[in-house]
Amino acid sequence: MDRSVKAEVRNPLLALPSSRAIMALPDDVKAALRRLLLDLRKDAQEKADKSWRSHKAPMAVYWKACAVYAGHIARLLRG
């Protein structure tokens, strides 16, 4: 199997034992959490872009990592 096809490679959070508990939450809770995480992801991406334009590379990397992890968690919560 190609490395990029494995779900755990695309979303490393799937390998965590607690990811199953997150996916078992009631649908309304998952939907609310997903909206929050997608908002966080968007905000973090904007802050990363702003930091990069301001030549603040360390902060850009920090915010980019926040955006990536928020996106990974949000994908766990997809219906």
Side-chain angles (χ1 to χ4, degrees):
M1 181 181 281
D2 188 337
R3 181 181 187 283
S4 62
V5 174
K6 293 182 180 179
E8 299 82 24
V9 172
R10 291 189 318 269
N11 189 346
L13 298 181
L14 287 170
L16 298 175
S18 57
S19 67
R20 282 183 231 94
I22 292 289
M23 291 184 277
L25 290 171
D27 288 343
D28 59 330
V29 173
K30 287 193 296 190
L33 255 176
R34 188 166 192 272
R35 285 190 303 273
L36 173 69
L37 288 160
L38 291 174
D39 284 348
L40 173 63
R41 179 176 176 245
K42 182 180 178 198
D43 184 60
Q45 286 173 326
E46 290 170 358
K47 288 179 179 179
D49 291 342
K50 182 179 177 193
S51 295
W52 186 254
R53 287 191 308 274
S54 301
H55 305 285
K56 296 179 180 179
M59 288 307 299
V61 171
Y62 169 79
W63 287 116
K64 185 65 176 174
C66 289
V68 168
Y69 273 100
H72 281 321
I73 298 167
R75 278 190 288 284
L76 286 177
L77 297 166
R78 272 194 298 217

